Amino acid sequence: MLITSPRQLGIYLRDVRRTQKRNQTLVGDIVGLKQTTVSKLERDPASSSIESLMRLLSSLNLELHIEEKSISREQGKVDPDDW
């Protein structure tokens, strides 16, 4: 999954959690996050800490992979919401 903005990340996290049929409280409890922190990560991940994000990813059995942008993407116009 290519994610290019905080908004896309939040939506993806929420969708994965829902697909796993788990609520915010449950995924937070697994890794020591409050339900409100999970909610904040899904709504506005840009204002959340990296530590909280990594904990939530772990709870959802997800990993973060970072790679260089492809050549075609570098040459194209970048959306202001892309980081």
Side-chain angles (χ1 to χ4, degrees):
M1 165 58 73
L2 175 64
I3 294 176
T4 60
S5 72
R7 182 174 182 269
Q8 287 176 336
L9 176 61
I11 291 168
Y12 183 74
L13 293 171
R14 182 200 65 212
D15 290 349
V16 168
R17 177 182 56 77
R18 287 179 176 174
T19 298
Q20 294 177 2
K21 298 188 184 326
R22 297 197 275 166
N23 63 37
Q24 293 174 340
T25 302
L26 177 60
V27 296
D29 286 349
I30 292 169
V31 291
L33 294 175
K34 295 180 181 179
Q35 178 275 327
T36 55
T37 302
V38 175
S39 175
K40 183 179 174 185
L41 275 160
E42 291 180 358
R43 283 183 291 106
D44 187 19
S47 68
S48 300
S49 74
I50 296 294
E51 180 181 356
S52 293
L53 172 62
M54 298 307 289
R55 286 182 181 200
L56 181 57
L57 291 173
S58 176
S59 179
L60 295 171
N61 297 314
L62 298 173
E63 295 177 332
L64 176 66
H65 294 256
I66 298 174
E67 59 184 53
E68 292 185 21
K69 291 182 180 180
S70 66
I71 292 172
S72 62
R73 192 163 146 70
E74 287 178 5
Q75 293 173 350
K77 185 178 178 184
V78 177
D79 186 300
D81 289 335
D82 288 353
W83 290 20

